[in-house]
Structure formats: C-alpha cells, structure tokens
Amino acid sequence: MLQILEKLYDTDDIVIAYELVKLSSIQLSLGDGTAVESISRIDDIFSRYYGLHADLVFPYLQYLRREVEKFSMKALQ
C-alpha cells in the first residue's frame, strides 16, 4: 500500500506519514527493528508539516519516539 501511495503523492507527503504510522504500529507489535526507520520518517514528515506543534497535533508521535529510544537501548546492550 505504501508503494502505491508513494507513486500518487510526494514521498514526504502527510498521507505517507499517516500510512507509516499504521506500518510502524505493526512493526512495533512484532518487535521489528525497522520500525525505527519508519518512525524517524514519520517524525521528519510531521515536523515538516506542523513544525514545533507536531506533538500537539499528533500526540502519538511522542509515544513513537519513546519506542525508538527503547530499541536504541536494546541495541546498545
């Protein structure tokens, strides 16, 4: 689905970010480390669209950032 949307929209479009939210939620539930890449991309897109207000507009972003930190901590161990 993501590949189809990337053909229809710019790769940094907000539509892509919302689709990545779904994908990263699945990746996190499976313990898939590639969630870090998806979340980083989500963070970049939301920050570009909403600037400093990204956390207010999309509070779930804070949770995703914490999950990235958890993956980073596990990788260091």
Side-chain angles (χ1 to χ4, degrees):
M1 181 65 154
L2 189 60
Q3 293 170 339
I4 294 169
L5 290 175
E6 286 176 338
K7 292 195 183 292
L8 297 172
Y9 299 94
D10 183 56
T11 56
D12 293 329
D13 195 279
I14 196 73
V15 172
I16 303 298
Y18 280 110
E19 197 62 32
L20 284 167
V21 169
K22 297 175 204 174
L23 176 62
S24 66
S25 295
I26 294 168
Q27 291 170 324
L28 287 171
S29 69
L30 296 173
D32 185 349
T34 58
V36 172
E37 296 169 25
S38 298
I39 294 167
S40 175
R41 195 165 163 203
I42 293 165
D43 195 11
D44 290 344
I45 294 171
F46 275 105
S47 294
R48 187 173 302 116
Y49 270 82
Y50 301 119
L52 298 174
H53 303 291
D55 290 336
L56 294 172
V57 174
F58 194 72
Y60 191 62
L61 189 55
Q62 296 171 24
Y63 166 77
L64 293 174
R65 287 183 187 134
R66 285 192 302 271
E67 292 301 309
V68 167
E69 289 176 19
K70 288 180 187 176
F71 270 102
S72 299
M73 297 292 266
K74 286 181 184 177
L76 293 175
Q77 294 175 354

